[in-house]
Amino acid sequence: MTAHTEDPPPRRERLLDQTVVVIGGSAGIGLETAREARIEGADVLLVGRDADRLAAAAEEVGARRTAAFDAHDLDAVRGFFADLEQPVDHVMVTAGNPYYASLWDTDFGEAGRALQDHPLLMAGIARYGAPRVRPGGTLLFMGGTGGRHPSIGIGVTSAMTAALPALAASLAVEVAPVRVNLIAAGFVNTPLSARLLGDGLEERLDELRRTVPTGRVVEPEDVAALAVHIMTNPALTGATFDIDGGQQLVAAPPSQP
């Protein structure tokens, strides 16, 4: 007797007929989120600073359009959302780089910008973007877990990331019924991580594989899957979602890049 194997059910297009804006969408987590959103049926708008990189990314994932500007220029952010022809459903923001330096090597001008840029970006996206997001849609931001692990060289970024969950929760109250959530990522194997670590990348990857409970490094695709889940679950707002492979459960977790 031959066992009958049924075909797996077709994948649901959970974002069908919805529009997702990805700010910081030309590489890494943003690009993978755009790719996952397209698989789930969404139209995608990619935003970034480099027009050529955006064009290549848009062709790769089938994005409907692109817009090139610096997301930390809040006048440009306001203009982008004001010029949208129709409302959108979700806005994912991955723009921005961390600032790493020991106390003795800190450039206080750069440190000050690092401390304020990301919170102000979140506030600007909420102020100018939320009115263009359909009720029940999402503003989704990227943060980190560095604030929970004191270490030399990450103090400024740790302070900034520690503030973001409180800001996300407050914004969720202010812009409701648009939802606001934050993803707090540990180490993710992105081009940015490779650039920061240089020749030390493989050593860090091996260290993580040996020490984290999952035995694997978090990849951009993992974060993208979480992002789409948050977009498609209407009960989630004002929350921070950790994704680090269990790194925080380790007694002496590896530091950030």
Side-chain angles (χ1 to χ4, degrees):
M1 180 176 179
T2 302
H4 175 67
T5 302
E6 296 183 356
D7 293 333
R11 182 169 183 172
R12 293 182 300 164
E13 293 185 315
R14 294 175 293 170
L15 294 172
L16 187 63
D17 297 327
Q18 298 186 36
T19 299
V20 176
V21 176
V22 183
I23 299 178
S26 63
I29 292 169
L31 179 60
E32 289 304 324
T33 299
R35 192 191 318 278
E36 185 71 12
R38 287 288 294 133
I39 291 171
E40 293 288 353
D43 286 330
V44 173
L45 282 69
L46 294 184
V47 175
R49 288 181 295 181
D50 188 309
D52 291 337
R53 289 179 61 189
L54 278 176
E59 182 175 1
E60 181 179 341
V61 302
R64 179 157 56 91
R65 57 165 286 202
T66 64
F69 61 87
D70 184 348
H72 294 291
D73 180 347
L74 295 185
D75 287 335
V77 170
R78 177 175 57 189
F80 168 75
F81 283 107
D83 290 343
L84 289 176
E85 296 179 357
Q86 296 179 334
V88 300
D89 296 280
H90 309 284
V91 180
M92 170 78 168
V93 184
T94 68
N97 293 326
Y99 178 77
Y100 296 121
S102 71
L103 173 64
W104 315 113
D105 294 328
T106 294
D107 179 311
F108 287 110
E110 290 188 25
R113 285 188 291 273
L115 282 169
Q116 69 177 355
D117 275 357
H118 206 101
L120 287 179
L121 173 60
M122 288 177 63
I125 295 292
R127 179 168 179 171
Y128 302 125
R132 303 294 290 151
V133 175
R134 293 185 178 92
T138 319
L139 302 178
L140 182 56
F141 301 97
M142 287 298 305
T145 59
R148 306 166 200 176
H149 306 302
S151 179
I152 293 173
I154 67 169
V156 169
T157 292
S158 293
M160 181 269 291
T161 57
L164 299 186
L167 177 57
S170 293
L171 293 175
V173 175
E174 289 208 55
V175 304
V178 173
R179 298 181 291 119
V180 180
N181 290 289
L182 179 72
I183 294 176
F187 182 95
V188 183
N189 188 21
T190 64
L192 174 61
S193 297
R195 188 165 70 250
L196 290 170
L197 287 170
D199 293 340
L201 176 63
E202 287 304 319
E203 181 181 353
R204 174 57 56 82
L205 297 178
D206 289 341
E207 179 186 21
L208 287 164
R209 294 183 187 110
R210 291 194 311 269
T211 58
V212 299
T214 59
R216 61 184 294 274
V217 178
V218 177
E219 300 288 342
E221 295 88 340
D222 301 317
V223 184
L226 174 59
V228 168
H229 169 70
I230 295 169
M231 292 176 192
T232 58
N233 189 326
L236 304 178
T237 193
T240 297
F241 298 86
D242 290 356
I243 180 166
D244 66 356
Q247 185 176 331
Q248 295 181 76
L249 305 176
V250 181
S255 61
Q256 297 293 319

